[in-house]
Amino acid sequence: MAEEDVQAATPEPELAPYLLESARSSRSKCRTCRRKIDKDTLRLGILLEGPFGTGYLWHHLTCAARRRLEDVEAAYEQQAFADGLQVPPLAELQALKEKAEQARAERKELPYVERAPSGRSKCKNCGKAIDQDALRVVLAREVSFGNQVRATPINVHPECVHAELESEDCMTEVDGFEAQLRQNSTLESSVVDEAVAAIGVLEG
């Protein structure tokens, strides 16, 4: 075989650690929020080298800013985006991170009782409206996002707490419920007493 007939294999181009771009289609999913990334939406790709190959894990840029700011900052430092791509100022994304951390710090532990700020919410157990200023109990319900399982807060009437605690996807435990409810609630103790009375006796 002639030497000119032997061609060396062309090495695949090495991928950069980060890639910030507009989504080319609507087929990718954000690895942070698990939702679809719409076409032309800014997305951040973080390189992953695994046993089945190398590729990018995609995140909405705003989701990455809230959860993986260090990767966003590195991508900006490395200018991991094409010239001419309109990207938000890094300070704007850093502000998203600060706001998200503040919201997490202010998030209450479940369960707790509160007064409904409006009449728009519905009881997740019976489906009926919860009147404005009426007492409602906030419990944890299991919700699946892809392969992940998370606890999401739901509002229920005090009278519906017993039925909700017996549901398969309720993540609030019966054991120690009243003590946790009192500890986590910020209403006056007499108001919490009213909610506890409406809930009734719970059997673990």
Side-chain angles (χ1 to χ4, degrees):
M1 182 179 294
E3 183 177 348
E4 58 268 25
D5 293 332
V6 180
Q7 296 182 354
T10 303
E12 294 184 2
E14 185 174 340
L15 297 176
Y18 301 101
L19 177 60
L20 177 53
E21 66 175 14
S22 295
R24 304 170 192 176
S25 69
S26 299
R27 294 192 300 270
S28 62
K29 281 190 176 182
C30 175
R31 300 302 292 246
T32 299
C33 72
R34 301 290 176 177
R35 294 186 175 91
K36 179 181 66 174
I37 301 177
D38 292 329
K39 186 177 184 294
D40 296 328
T41 300
L42 287 176
R43 65 180 184 178
L44 176 66
I46 301 175
L47 189 65
L48 175 68
E49 297 182 6
F52 302 106
T54 301
Y56 289 111
L57 297 181
W58 297 106
H59 306 258
H60 290 107
L61 179 58
T62 51
C63 287
R66 294 185 181 97
R67 290 288 186 175
R68 307 181 64 116
L69 182 62
E70 66 280 0
D71 289 310
V72 175
E73 291 173 335
Y76 269 66
E77 182 179 351
Q78 298 173 22
Q79 293 186 326
F81 44 86
D83 292 338
L85 181 66
Q86 296 294 319
V87 297
L90 181 57
E92 183 178 312
L93 299 174
Q94 291 169 332
L96 285 179
K97 171 71 171 180
E98 293 177 2
K99 187 175 181 180
E101 288 183 341
Q102 181 179 358
R104 284 193 290 270
E106 295 174 351
R107 189 177 300 160
K108 295 180 180 179
E109 293 291 330
L110 304 177
Y112 61 88
V113 61
E114 66 179 5
R115 292 197 179 277
S118 70
R120 295 192 299 270
S121 64
K122 288 186 177 181
C123 175
K124 293 298 184 181
N125 184 267
C126 71
K128 296 180 181 179
I130 300 176
D131 295 334
Q132 183 177 4
D133 206 38
L135 293 178
R136 67 182 185 186
V137 180
V138 185
L139 305 176
R141 176 178 286 182
E142 178 182 302
V143 176
S144 298
F145 292 89
N147 295 326
Q148 296 184 358
V149 176
R150 303 178 187 175
T152 188
I154 61 168
N155 302 316
V156 298
H157 293 113
E159 298 81 3
C160 296
V161 167
H162 189 278
E164 182 61 31
L165 290 176
E166 291 184 336
S167 64
E168 292 184 359
D169 56 358
C170 183
M171 298 184 71
T172 300
E173 299 290 339
V174 174
D175 292 340
F177 174 82
E178 182 178 337
Q180 291 179 357
L181 188 76
R182 292 184 180 279
Q183 178 180 337
N184 298 336
S185 301
T186 57
L187 297 176
E188 294 181 358
S189 58
S190 59
V191 179
V192 179
D193 289 341
E194 180 183 345
V196 170
I199 292 170
V201 178
L202 300 175
E203 297 181 359

